[in-house]
Amino acid sequence: SKLKNYQYGNRGMTLEEDLNESNEYYLANKIAVIHKKPTPIQIVKVDYPQRSKAVIKEAYFKTPSTTDYNGVYKGKYIDFEAKETKSKTSIPLQNFHHHQIEHIRQVIACNGISFVIIRFSTTEEVFLLEGRFLLQFWERMENGGRKSIAKDELVQYGHQIPLGIHPRIDYLKVIDQIYD
Amino acid sequence: SKLKNYQYGNRGMTLEEDLNESNEYYLANKIAVIHKKPTPIQIVKVDYPQRSKAVIKEAYFKTPSTTDYNGVYKGKYIDFEAKETKSKTSIPLQNFHHHQIEHIRQVIACNGISFVIIRFSTTEEVFLLEGRFLLQFWERMENGGRKSIAKDELVQYGHQIPLGIHPRIDYLKVIDQIYD
Ligand SMILES: [Mg+2]
Ligand SMILES: [Mg+2]
C-alpha cells in the first residue's frame, strides 16, 4: 500500500484509547465484540475488611502471555497486539515479547485472524501488519538481521489505516479488504 | 442427551483447574488456543521501589464484563463461562452477572460460538449448555419463572461431557458434534 498523510493534528489520545473507542463503536453497532484483556496481576496479599470489599494489598504485574485484544467478527476469531513507538522511521522488535510471538504463531496455526496495529506517535500514522509478516521480520532478526521493522516495510507489507472520527481506527475495514 | 455416570471419584480438582489443563492440552497439540482471561483489577496505588519491580499497594477486584474464557478453534471464535455449583439438582441463575448475559448475547449476534460449562461439584457431572439456551432460561426468569436451570433441563438441552484423563474435560468434542 502507499503512504498517505491521514493525521489531523495531535489529539492527545493514546493508541489504546483510540482502539477502545473503536471497539465500543463496533460493539454498539453489533459489528464485532472485541475487548482489551485485563492486565495480568500476581496477587500476593488481600485484606477482607468487615462490611466492605476486599482490598488487594500486595500484587505484581505479570508479563502478558498473549496479545492485548481479542474477540469475534463475523464468527471469526480476531487477535491483535497494539504498539506505539516514538521512533519516526521504524518499530523496534524488542517491543514484542517472545511469548507474544509464540501466541501469534499458535493463533495462525488455528486459522485465527492475527495482526498488530502499530502507531508512530509523532506523526499519528497507524499501520496494520498481518501476524504472518511480523513472524517473518522476527525470524529475520533471529537470523542476525535488523532488530526493527522499517516504516517503509510497513508501507509495503502492511496497510495504513486512515484516522476517522467514529470509529477512530477502523481496522476491521482493512480486515475486510485482506479477507475478501 | 442422556444422563450418564461419568465421574470416577472426587479428584479434588476445581473446574477451573480441569479447564486450564484441557486448554493446555489443546494448545500443546495445536488444536485450539483458548485462555482464561485475567481477573480485572482496579489499580489505585503502585510503588516503584528503586532497583526492584513495581508493587501494587492498593487495588480492588472489578466485576468482569465478559465471560472467563475465549479463543480460537478452527478459525472460529470460542467463548464460554465456567460455573460450579454445590447444589445437586440445579444451577442458580444468580451465578451469572447481568453483563455476562449481555456479552453472550453480543457474541451470538456476531456468530461466535458461545456456551457455558457447568459442574455439579458433589457428583462431578459436567455439562455444556449453548449460550442461546442460557438466554432462554434467563428470559424465563425475567418473565417471573424459576431462578435456576434444573439438572434435568441441562440433560435435555445441554450435553454432558465425559471426564477424561488428558484432556480432562474435552469440551471441543461436544462443539464438533453441535457444529457438524
Ligand atoms: Mg500492547
Ligand atoms: Mg466463572
Side-chain angles (χ1 to χ4, degrees):
Chain A
S1 62
K2 265 184 66 209
L3 187 62
K4 289 175 209 140
N5 200 357
Y6 282 125
Q7 69 273 20
Y8 49 88
N10 196 302
R11 304 150 305 140
M13 293 290 183
T14 65
L15 177 58
E16 185 178 323
E17 286 168 331
D18 279 355
L19 289 170
N20 289 346
E21 188 277 342
S22 305
N23 289 338
E24 280 164 28
Y25 173 88
Y26 292 145
L27 188 65
N29 291 281
K30 298 186 199 306
I31 294 166
V33 184
I34 298 166
H35 290 283
K36 187 172 194 297
K37 288 194 187 176
T39 310
I41 301 286
Q42 170 85 49
I43 297 168
V44 175
K45 213 165 79 189
V46 185
D47 253 28
Y48 298 92
Q50 284 198 331
R51 280 170 227 271
S52 64
K53 60 182 177 173
V55 190
I56 298 161
K57 286 288 192 186
E58 184 185 348
Y60 299 89
F61 295 101
K62 289 202 289 189
T63 314
S65 54
T66 67
T67 45
D68 281 343
Y69 295 85
N70 73 0
V72 58
Y73 175 51
K74 296 177 180 172
K76 298 276 196 178
Y77 178 72
I78 295 283
D79 187 293
F80 67 97
E81 178 62 31
K83 296 290 187 202
E84 211 158 358
T85 180
K86 283 173 183 163
S87 158
K88 284 176 182 172
T89 53
S90 69
I91 169 89
L93 285 163
Q94 68 180 14
N95 275 290
F96 297 92
H97 304 291
H98 210 284
H99 35 260
Q100 287 183 324
I101 297 292
E102 199 42 48
H103 174 74
I104 290 168
R105 215 185 298 278
Q106 289 160 343
V107 167
I108 292 172
C110 287
N111 289 310
I113 294 176
S114 162
F115 53 93
V116 291
I117 293 180
I118 293 159
R119 179 157 103 152
F120 291 90
S121 51
T122 55
T123 60
E124 295 203 328
E125 288 158 316
V126 177
F127 292 89
L128 184 151
L129 182 71
E130 287 175 78
R132 63 191 176 108
F133 290 118
L134 178 68
L135 295 183
Q136 285 179 23
F137 290 121
W138 187 267
E139 213 173 295
R140 176 175 72 181
M141 176 183 70
E142 290 196 320
N143 291 333
R146 65 178 290 172
K147 292 180 171 57
S148 64
I149 308 171
K151 196 201 271 189
D152 288 349
E153 292 172 325
L154 290 176
V155 173
Q156 189 178 349
Y157 294 98
H159 305 260
Q160 196 177 357
I161 310 178
L163 294 187
I165 305 292
H166 205 45
R168 286 188 205 141
I169 299 177
D170 196 359
Y171 59 90
L172 289 179
K173 198 180 261 177
V174 176
I175 293 304
D176 278 339
Q177 287 164 16
I178 297 174
Y179 290 86
D180 215 19
Chain B
S1 64
K2 265 185 67 205
L3 187 62
K4 287 174 212 145
N5 201 357
Y6 281 125
Q7 69 273 21
Y8 48 88
N10 196 304
R11 304 151 305 141
M13 293 289 183
T14 66
L15 177 58
E16 185 178 323
E17 286 168 330
D18 280 354
L19 288 171
N20 290 346
E21 188 277 343
S22 304
N23 290 338
E24 281 164 28
Y25 172 89
Y26 292 145
L27 189 65
N29 292 280
K30 298 186 199 307
I31 294 165
V33 184
I34 297 165
H35 290 282
K36 186 171 194 297
K37 288 194 188 178
T39 310
I41 302 286
Q42 171 85 47
I43 297 168
V44 175
K45 213 166 79 189
V46 184
D47 253 27
Y48 297 92
Q50 284 197 332
R51 283 169 225 269
S52 64
K53 61 183 177 175
V55 190
I56 298 161
K57 287 287 192 186
E58 184 185 349
Y60 299 89
F61 295 100
K62 290 202 289 187
T63 314
S65 54
T66 66
T67 45
D68 280 342
Y69 296 84
N70 73 0
V72 58
Y73 176 51
K74 296 177 178 171
K76 297 276 197 176
Y77 178 72
I78 296 283
D79 187 293
F80 67 96
E81 178 63 30
K83 296 288 188 204
E84 210 157 358
T85 181
K86 284 174 182 164
S87 157
K88 285 176 183 173
T89 53
S90 69
I91 169 89
L93 285 164
Q94 68 181 12
N95 275 290
F96 298 91
H97 304 292
H98 211 283
H99 35 260
Q100 287 183 324
I101 298 292
E102 200 42 50
H103 174 75
I104 289 168
R105 216 186 298 279
Q106 289 159 343
V107 166
I108 292 172
C110 288
N111 290 310
I113 294 176
S114 163
F115 53 93
V116 291
I117 292 180
I118 294 160
R119 178 157 103 152
F120 292 89
S121 51
T122 55
T123 59
E124 295 203 325
E125 288 157 316
V126 177
F127 292 90
L128 184 152
L129 182 71
E130 288 175 78
R132 63 190 177 108
F133 291 118
L134 178 69
L135 296 182
Q136 286 180 22
F137 290 121
W138 187 267
E139 213 174 293
R140 176 175 72 181
M141 176 182 70
E142 290 195 321
N143 292 332
R146 65 178 291 172
K147 292 181 172 58
S148 64
I149 308 171
K151 196 200 270 188
D152 289 348
E153 292 173 324
L154 290 177
V155 172
Q156 190 179 349
Y157 294 99
H159 306 261
Q160 195 177 357
I161 310 178
L163 295 187
I165 305 293
H166 203 46
R168 287 188 205 142
I169 299 177
D170 195 0
Y171 59 89
L172 289 179
K173 198 179 261 178
V174 176
I175 294 304
D176 278 338
Q177 288 164 14
I178 297 174
Y179 289 86
D180 215 20

